[in-house]
Amino acid sequence: MENNTKSLPMIPLRELTVLPEMVIHFDVSREKSIAAIERAMEEQQKLFLTTQKKAETDEPGIEDVYETGCIATIKQIIKLPKRLNRILIAVDERARLNYIEDTEQCLMANVTVVEDIDTLAKEIGADKFPMNVEAMILGLKELFKEYTDKNPKVYKELASQIGEISDLKKLVDVIAANFPLPYIQRQELLEEVNLMRRYDMLVAKIVHEVQVQSIKEELQSKVKRRVDKNQREYILREEIRLIREELGDDSTISDADEFAQAVDKLQSPDEVKQKISKEIKRFRSIMNSPSETGVIRTYIETMLEMPWDKVCKEHKDIKYAKKVLDEDHYGLEKVKERILEYMAVRALTKKGDSPILCLAGPPGTGKTSIAKSLARALKRPYVRISLGGVRDEAEIRGHRKTYVGAMPGRIADALRSAKVKNPLMLLDEIDKVSNDYKGDTFSALLEVLDSEQNKKFRDHYLEVPLDLSEVLFVTTANTLQTIPRPLLDRMEVIEVSSYTENEKLHIAQEHLIPKQMERHGLKKKQLSVSKKAIWKIARSYTKEAGVRQLERKLADICRKAAKEIFEEKKSSVHVTERNIHQYLGKELYIYQMANETDEVGIVRGLAWTSVGGDTLQIEVNIMPGEGEILLTGQLGDVMKESARTGISYIRSVGKSYKISEEFFKEHDVHIHIPEGAVPKDGPSAGITMATAILSAVTGKKVRADVAMTGEITLRGRVLPIGGLKEKLLAAKNAGIRTVVVPAENMPDIEEISSEITKGLDIVPVSHMNEVLKTALVKPKK
């Protein structure tokens, strides 16, 4: 096997393996490699070439190169710029590296020439040896020819050269040298000195490459057939387009193609894409029917404009959101707190259903504007749908597209306007929705405002499920009485109560006055409104729970100030409590203040109205008669029943107050509540009327500085009522010092700000005995 040992200059190769019978050129740039070439040229032009295991090694040692390499003869050297040599070599034979001598100039390799191990005769058999070798040569030639037929890049001279080789060893080496393989696989062939195994390895690699080429040809053939089909369809379409251009109708084809391209780019579920693609096919097929084409075109355009899977980025900066909410609105703490909680949950869980909020409260308290502010704080698109007066179910669910003039419902249309599937959607005035023979609008809203159902909301026009689960719904209402219970149950109700005078002052100073000055072209130094002037406007020129009238009055002041500055050349205008009448005229509202003296049969009650709280002075007169009960002041049915309940209670406890049994048979009781033009109703004046009746019957005076509210029962129990914040505010504005409230309402008192309750003596009661004990003037001893 071994022939002799030689010491030769050595060049380590990077990512290149040479094989016997190979003629190849490569570039040399390392100093020691160039020196090895020069040393070889001085001797027999012989080099030892072996491959580095890692290409990035600059100065390889014996452990960094493969043990098996080749001895090669240098045929040509071309010197290139920058110390670069290009050499052409012919590979002679295999050799095994024994050790490396690292001289100062170049690497010298001590190598042993390796001969092939020929076991063919032993493996095949001596008698059949010649025929089998010939068969192996013929098989390898045919296999390589099959490869060259599939790969036209192989030179024809090489194919003819291989055809003339009759020696199996040389044939294997020549084909291996000219067959394209990665250098690692070439190294495997180089290290295999057993001819039979090397033959098998080479055959396996050629067969693998032929199979890969066959698969590649098959794939290319399929692609070509497909391209040919598409080309044919394109040519036919172009011909149809040219014909239509001649006829003056070429828009429909191009539109259909545009729609098809838009579907490919659309971010949507597969169900939606399939539906649109089906409609595009119909659109292509009915081009001769302009009316139907128009209907389908509108439908496809609507479907393509819907934000099926397009969302805006989730905003998680709670500090920024809080800053925006506080900048835009003063107060409304519950609404702000709920949105910040929602943001915190989303930030922690990365998911969670969007809340469905219902802001309920009097007009002008900022319900609609806070929704817009919420959208800004969350950095989401804002869309508003006004539901006031909506009476047709199709307004919510849409019309079926078979109808003339059909369109999607307001919900789907709002999503299309928002261009994302997770906007903030305001359903304004949900309590003003009405019904008629066309359907129940409230029932249609049940699916929209149910987080369990709205993931697959079906609009009649779209005909595919629409995901509303990521929409942040905010609804507004002035009253919850007109909203059906099932719908109300789906919403998280947040009460937006009346503003106190202090809150109105802050809102006017921080928001309304700057806003109106900007609208009227006034600079900050040109107009000033004092605190007392704002308080007087809120108390004497407006009567509301919100701030709309207050804003109008401030706009009046700004207009008059602008006129003064323009006409009279004033540099600035100062509005105070003393000169406010010059801008707004006489006072429009006068608060009915607490009576100065205690009286019989007159009691101050507290009422809730749509514009805030108010005080009611209930008067009772006793006259000789036949036991008739007179109720005047435009009282509602519930209030009348409360009056009768109060009389029944007083008759039942008459003995305790020395009232004769015949008294109510011989006297008429007249109950009157002033401001007779204003309708009044509700059970909360029950204890007030009962106290007034008892005072009138017994002649005992009632304290003038006491006001009360609460429902009465036949047995004298006091039941809880609503609207307590507004009622306490009205009592405070009227100069009342003591307020009697049901004991069950004390938790509500704790939630009311100290600004309202400060200066009020709030007396909780659970029975009429406690009410009378507080309200009736105690006789002097």
Side-chain angles (χ1 to χ4, degrees):
M1 184 179 73
E2 295 185 4
N3 187 5
N4 56 5
T5 302
K6 300 178 181 180
S7 181
L8 297 172
M10 170 181 158
I11 296 180
L13 302 175
R14 288 173 168 166
E15 296 184 349
L16 175 66
T17 299
V18 295
L19 296 170
E21 304 294 336
M22 184 182 281
V23 177
I24 189 171
H25 63 77
F26 56 87
D27 294 341
V28 178
S29 61
R30 282 185 284 197
E31 293 296 333
K32 288 190 175 182
S33 297
I34 293 171
I37 295 169
E38 292 171 352
R39 176 108 179 231
M41 294 302 293
E42 292 171 1
E43 297 177 359
Q44 299 176 350
Q45 298 180 358
K46 297 288 185 181
L47 283 170
F48 178 69
L49 303 176
T50 185
T51 306
Q52 289 184 199
K53 294 177 181 177
K54 292 183 180 179
E56 60 269 17
T57 306
D58 286 331
E59 295 185 3
I62 192 166
E63 68 278 357
D64 298 317
V65 297
Y66 288 104
E67 183 182 358
T68 305
C70 289
I71 298 171
T73 304
I74 300 173
K75 297 293 185 183
Q76 186 182 35
I77 301 175
I78 301 172
K79 292 190 179 294
L80 300 173
K82 297 182 180 179
R83 292 281 293 165
L84 191 69
N85 286 4
R86 180 168 292 170
I87 66 169
L88 178 70
I89 55 105
V91 182
D92 300 330
E93 56 196 343
R94 285 177 178 76
R96 185 174 66 249
L97 177 64
N98 297 322
Y99 59 87
I100 296 174
E101 296 176 19
D102 190 356
T103 66
E104 291 182 4
Q105 288 82 20
C106 66
L107 298 175
M108 295 294 294
N110 183 277
V111 299
T112 302
V113 175
V114 179
E115 296 292 340
D116 281 343
I117 301 172
D118 192 351
T119 60
L120 289 174
K122 184 178 178 182
E123 292 182 17
I124 297 169
D127 54 336
K128 297 180 181 179
F129 178 75
M131 291 178 61
N132 279 297
V133 169
E134 188 178 347
M136 289 171 68
I137 292 170
L138 188 62
L140 185 56
K141 285 181 179 180
E142 287 179 356
L143 189 60
F144 189 71
K145 186 177 183 303
E146 187 180 351
Y147 167 74
T148 55
D149 290 343
K150 292 183 180 294
N151 195 340
K153 292 181 181 179
V154 178
Y155 295 115
K156 291 181 180 178
E157 293 82 359
L158 175 63
S160 60
Q161 177 191 343
I162 287 171
E164 293 173 0
I165 297 173
S166 58
D167 179 59
L168 181 62
K169 175 182 177 299
K170 186 174 182 180
L171 180 66
V172 169
D173 286 345
V174 170
I175 291 177
N178 291 280
F179 190 72
L181 285 171
Y183 79 95
I184 298 292
Q185 293 185 20
R186 276 186 177 170
Q187 185 68 33
E188 292 173 0
L189 284 171
L190 179 64
E191 291 176 356
E192 185 53 69
V193 294
N194 187 308
L195 180 60
M196 190 67 183
R197 289 181 198 161
R198 192 158 77 245
Y199 176 89
D200 291 340
M201 285 172 65
L202 182 62
V203 167
K205 292 183 188 301
I206 297 174
V207 168
H208 173 75
E209 189 63 29
V210 169
Q211 289 174 344
V212 169
Q213 288 290 340
S214 299
I215 294 168
K216 182 180 174 184
E217 285 177 5
E218 187 180 345
L219 289 172
Q220 287 177 337
S221 175
K222 286 181 180 179
V223 170
K224 186 174 181 300
R225 284 198 300 271
R226 190 173 297 172
V227 169
D228 290 344
K229 182 183 177 185
N230 292 339
Q231 190 73 14
R232 180 172 174 274
E233 289 178 357
Y234 171 75
I235 293 168
L236 290 172
R237 283 202 186 95
E238 284 296 305
E239 288 178 355
I240 293 171
R241 189 174 67 80
L242 289 170
I243 293 167
R244 289 191 172 278
E245 281 181 4
E246 291 296 321
L247 294 172
D249 179 22
D250 65 326
S251 62
T252 312
I253 293 288
S254 59
D255 284 351
D257 292 338
E258 284 180 16
F259 291 151
Q261 290 173 8
V263 170
D264 293 336
K265 297 176 184 176
L266 189 65
Q267 297 177 20
S268 68
D270 293 338
E271 183 182 356
V272 173
K273 288 187 176 182
Q274 289 170 8
K275 178 68 177 174
I276 302 174
S277 300
K278 185 179 177 183
E279 292 297 324
I280 292 172
K281 285 182 183 177
R282 285 189 62 209
F283 182 66
R284 290 183 192 276
S285 65
I286 56 167
M287 293 172 181
N288 296 327
S289 175
S291 60
E292 197 165 349
T293 302
V295 171
I296 298 175
R297 181 198 298 276
T298 306
Y299 177 76
I300 294 171
E301 288 174 348
T302 302
M303 292 287 279
L304 291 173
E305 288 172 3
M306 294 298 297
W308 299 103
D309 284 339
K310 189 178 177 184
V311 296
C312 70
K313 189 178 177 183
E314 195 80 24
H315 180 59
K316 298 174 184 176
D317 191 346
I318 293 182
K319 289 182 180 177
Y320 168 81
K322 190 174 189 307
K323 179 172 169 281
V324 168
L325 294 172
D326 288 340
E327 277 177 5
D328 291 352
H329 289 82
Y330 181 85
L332 300 174
E333 297 303 329
K334 286 186 179 179
V335 185
K336 294 176 183 178
E337 190 66 25
R338 183 62 184 88
I339 289 300
L340 296 178
E341 288 169 1
Y342 160 70
M343 288 182 70
V345 170
R346 292 284 282 201
L348 288 172
T349 62
K350 312 289 189 253
K351 57 182 180 179
D353 292 334
S354 296
I356 298 170
L357 307 178
C358 177
L359 309 181
T365 48
K367 299 184 297 298
T368 303
S369 60
I370 189 71
K372 198 167 187 178
S373 181
L374 294 178
R376 193 164 79 89
L378 294 168
K379 291 187 177 178
R380 290 195 187 190
Y382 166 77
V383 282
R384 175 179 170 269
I385 301 172
S386 179
L387 296 177
V390 172
R391 60 181 64 186
D392 187 357
E393 180 201 359
E395 294 272 350
I396 307 298
R397 289 185 179 277
H399 304 80
R400 300 200 180 277
K401 69 176 189 286
T402 50
Y403 293 111
V404 176
M407 63 182 72
R410 292 198 185 191
I411 304 293
D413 195 51
L415 269 187
R416 181 170 63 171
S417 302
K419 294 185 172 61
V420 292
K421 66 184 285 192
N422 62 336
L424 186 144
M425 191 177 292
L426 175 66
L427 304 181
D428 213 2
E429 309 291 357
I430 196 170
D431 57 324
K432 311 293 190 303
V433 171
S434 55
N435 303 321
D436 67 358
Y437 67 93
K438 292 181 181 177
D440 185 353
T441 315
F442 277 124
S443 298
L445 286 169
L446 287 176
E447 184 182 0
V448 175
L449 299 178
D450 190 334
S451 56
E452 295 299 323
Q453 298 181 41
N454 62 13
K455 291 176 184 175
K456 291 189 176 292
F457 171 72
R458 277 198 173 266
D459 186 279
H460 290 156
Y461 183 81
L462 301 179
E463 295 182 343
V464 288
L466 185 61
D467 185 6
L468 301 178
S469 62
E470 294 187 46
V471 177
L472 176 54
F473 284 105
V474 178
T475 67
T476 69
N478 294 131
T479 176
L480 303 177
Q481 304 301 318
T482 57
I483 302 175
R485 187 70 196 174
L487 182 59
L488 195 61
D489 188 54
R490 283 164 168 77
M491 299 186 289
E492 187 177 334
V493 179
I494 299 177
E495 295 282 349
V496 180
S497 53
S498 308
Y499 290 124
T500 65
E501 285 184 4
N502 191 46
E503 287 174 332
K504 288 181 181 180
L505 171 67
H506 282 288
I507 292 167
Q509 287 180 323
E510 295 172 18
H511 301 286
L512 304 183
I513 293 176
K515 177 181 169 185
Q516 290 302 325
M517 286 176 69
E518 185 182 348
R519 281 187 181 178
H520 292 85
L522 295 172
K523 294 178 182 176
K524 193 173 182 181
K525 295 179 181 178
Q526 290 179 314
L527 176 64
S528 66
V529 184
S530 69
K531 283 186 180 182
K532 289 186 177 179
I534 296 171
W535 267 321
K536 188 156 188 178
I537 296 168
R539 177 176 290 201
S540 303
Y541 290 91
T542 64
K543 191 173 185 179
E544 59 176 345
V547 289
R548 282 205 184 115
Q549 288 182 35
L550 177 60
E551 187 174 13
R552 290 191 194 102
K553 295 302 176 185
L554 292 170
D556 288 348
I557 291 172
C558 289
R559 284 195 298 273
K560 288 181 170 58
K563 184 183 174 188
E564 284 183 19
I565 291 167
F566 185 71
E567 287 185 349
E568 301 174 20
K569 306 300 180 185
K570 286 186 176 182
S571 60
S572 62
V573 174
H574 302 282
V575 180
T576 64
E577 187 181 18
R578 292 181 180 180
N579 66 357
I580 189 76
H581 64 277
Q582 295 175 15
Y583 298 92
L584 298 180
K586 64 175 183 140
E587 296 180 8
L588 301 178
Y589 303 100
I590 299 172
Y591 268 90
Q592 191 177 13
M593 301 302 290
N595 296 337
E596 294 182 5
T597 59
D598 304 333
E599 297 183 52
V600 175
I602 296 179
V603 183
R604 187 64 63 97
L606 300 174
W608 179 92
T609 70
S610 60
V611 294
D614 201 358
T615 60
L616 296 175
Q617 188 162 278
I618 296 176
E619 301 175 348
V620 177
N621 269 353
I622 303 295
M623 304 159 289
E626 299 176 352
E628 190 177 351
I629 299 171
L630 300 174
L631 301 167
T632 56
Q634 213 178 144
L635 310 185
D637 290 341
V638 177
M639 207 166 192
K640 288 177 180 177
E641 289 174 2
S642 292
R644 295 181 186 280
T645 304
I647 291 173
S648 297
Y649 167 72
I650 290 163
R651 290 179 69 176
S652 69
V653 296
K655 288 182 181 180
S656 304
Y657 294 94
K658 298 176 182 178
I659 302 171
S660 68
E661 294 181 4
E662 303 298 321
F663 183 88
F664 287 98
K665 292 181 181 179
E666 298 170 356
H667 296 83
D668 293 341
V669 179
H670 188 167
I671 301 170
H672 176 69
I673 302 178
E675 297 185 36
V678 180
K680 307 164 193 74
D681 205 356
S684 63
I687 64 170
T688 315
M689 289 189 285
T691 304
I693 295 165
L694 186 65
S695 171
V697 171
T698 60
K700 293 182 179 180
K701 291 183 179 182
V702 179
R703 286 170 56 189
D705 63 344
V706 171
M708 59 186 70
T709 180
E711 182 179 349
I712 188 175
T713 69
L714 274 176
R715 299 301 176 91
R717 288 186 299 115
V718 180
L719 302 183
I721 42 79
L724 199 56
K725 178 184 174 183
E726 288 81 0
K727 291 177 180 180
L728 292 178
L729 194 56
K732 188 167 185 176
N733 290 336
I736 301 293
R737 294 191 186 88
T738 304
V739 181
V740 177
V741 300
E744 292 182 37
N745 280 113
M746 287 312 289
D748 300 328
I749 299 286
E750 291 171 8
E751 291 186 4
I752 297 172
S753 68
S754 58
E755 180 194 337
I756 297 173
T757 57
K758 187 178 178 182
L760 289 177
D761 179 17
I762 298 171
V763 181
V765 295
S766 55
H767 197 273
M768 269 302 297
N769 291 339
E770 300 169 56
V771 177
L772 297 172
K773 185 178 178 181
T774 303
L776 295 179
V777 177
K778 296 174 182 176
K780 294 179 181 179
K781 294 182 180 179

